[in-house]
Amino acid sequence: MTRTGTTQAHLRRALRREVPSTVGLLADEHDFTAMRRYRTFAFDDHTTYLRQVEALLKTLATQGGHTTVALFDPEEYAAYCAETTIDPDHPTSRSRFTAHLAATGAHVTYTGQPLSTLLPELIDTTVRHATWEYATTVLATAGDCATCGKDIGKAAFERAARLLARLLDAAGPGTHHLVCSVPAADDQLIAVLHAHGTPQPTTTVDDAAAAEFTAVLAAGITLGTPGGLVLRTSNPGDRDRLHGWRLAGGTLTPLTEAEVFAAYCTDARTGEPLSPEPGVDHRAGFPLAPDPDDDWTTHH
């Protein structure tokens, strides 16, 4: 190779490191099987497919560029092809859809982690993204209150933020794990939040996670559907404590100790009793301090 050719190849490699890559990943056997109906889809075996995807990711990593991975959903892909009038049985169409996912959907950065670590992270990120989109759509389309004229979604989000702040203030010191569950049209909206309380009292939370949690709680308030919130608190050397609340009428009502025990020690699918988790105390939800702006039931 001439000196000019060597220089040009070096420049191309340098430029390649500045071009981001996105890989669309078929995470499970069901989605993989759905893609096999396309003649141009080259793979017959999901295990082989995953092995080749991991090899591709490693190769991209050696080239020094930024690589992300997005969940490739065959149903969304078919709908995208129909909407954009492109042939779904073509590699270029799959590439266009993957680029669309990179711009609009959930994705995670590949940093060399094995697929056994990347796949659960990708699925969790995708579910959280879908939950956030659904919850914010509920809030954005709720309209105005017929009584006071306020934006119902905005008022519900503000109310949910106050409820969360009062709950964390009352929770006290410890590592807190909160789960909010709200029935939606065809599914269950679930949000998770980790927080750390200190004796001062101050509470440390991730702002993005807190916003997602607040949006789901606010969606439940807006929809007026019965939901629930549970709090697990851990402190070194102590037994974990479980508390629970019922979401109804725009507020959180404490569950009794028996209701918290029943919620945790009953199989939600079969209704059969489950053994209590060792080292855990089931306790009633504690009452929250009154909200000075509590006019939800009056106006909404």
Side-chain angles (χ1 to χ4, degrees):
M1 182 180 290
T2 65
R3 181 176 179 180
T4 299
T6 302
T7 301
Q8 290 178 344
H10 174 73
L11 291 175
R12 282 194 298 271
R13 284 194 297 270
L15 184 61
R16 176 66 186 86
R17 288 193 292 270
E18 299 186 24
V19 178
S21 300
T22 300
V23 175
L25 178 60
L26 296 160
D28 59 38
E29 190 79 42
H30 179 268
D31 287 347
F32 177 83
T33 301
M35 290 302 293
R36 290 192 61 198
R37 69 178 181 266
Y38 299 119
R39 179 185 54 82
T40 57
F41 185 71
F43 294 92
D44 298 319
D45 175 74
H46 190 228
T47 301
T48 301
Y49 164 81
L50 291 177
R51 190 161 53 242
Q52 291 299 320
V53 167
E54 188 160 28
L56 172 62
L57 290 171
K58 290 178 180 178
T59 299
L60 292 171
T62 62
Q63 296 173 357
H66 179 76
T67 302
T68 58
V69 184
L71 203 62
F72 196 106
D73 185 309
E75 291 185 6
E76 290 184 13
Y77 172 63
Y80 174 81
C81 290
E83 182 180 339
T84 55
T85 64
I86 59 176
D87 180 8
D89 198 358
H90 199 284
T92 302
S93 300
R94 294 193 285 274
S95 178
R96 281 185 58 178
F97 178 65
T98 301
H100 169 74
L101 291 177
T104 62
H107 46 81
V108 299
T109 301
Y110 177 71
T111 58
Q113 67 269 47
L115 279 187
S116 58
T117 299
L118 188 147
L119 275 173
E121 180 186 0
L122 177 59
I123 292 170
D124 178 67
T125 300
T126 303
V127 170
R128 286 176 53 192
H129 180 79
T131 299
W132 167 258
E133 284 197 330
Y134 185 94
T136 52
T137 298
V138 168
L139 300 181
T141 58
D144 296 334
C145 174
T147 303
C148 66
K150 289 182 179 178
D151 183 317
I152 294 176
K154 182 174 182 293
F157 189 90
E158 292 171 350
R159 179 174 180 78
R162 294 195 300 270
L163 283 170
L164 177 60
R166 286 152 55 205
L167 190 150
L168 291 175
D169 285 345
T175 299
H176 306 302
H177 177 81
L178 300 91
V179 179
C180 180
S181 178
V182 173
D186 300 312
D187 208 343
Q188 195 84 1
L189 293 182
I190 297 177
V192 177
L193 180 64
H194 300 281
H196 183 71
T198 64
Q200 277 60 30
T202 57
T203 304
T204 303
V205 296
D206 178 79
D207 289 343
E212 292 171 9
F213 191 92
T214 303
V216 169
L217 181 57
I221 293 172
T222 300
L223 294 170
T225 52
L229 190 151
V230 292
L231 164 69
R232 181 171 184 152
T233 298
S234 304
N235 278 300
D238 292 337
R239 292 167 62 88
D240 283 7
R241 305 189 309 275
L242 293 174
H243 302 270
W245 292 261
R246 181 183 297 105
L247 175 63
T251 194
L252 292 172
T253 302
L255 296 176
T256 65
E257 184 175 309
E259 288 173 326
V260 173
F261 182 89
Y264 270 91
C265 299
T266 303
D267 189 307
R269 184 175 57 86
T270 65
E272 295 295 318
L274 300 172
S275 299
E277 186 179 349
V280 175
D281 290 332
H282 301 85
R283 299 187 180 180
F286 42 81
L288 303 182
D291 186 345
D293 299 317
D294 191 0
D295 61 353
W296 185 263
T297 56
T298 303
H299 294 291
H300 307 290

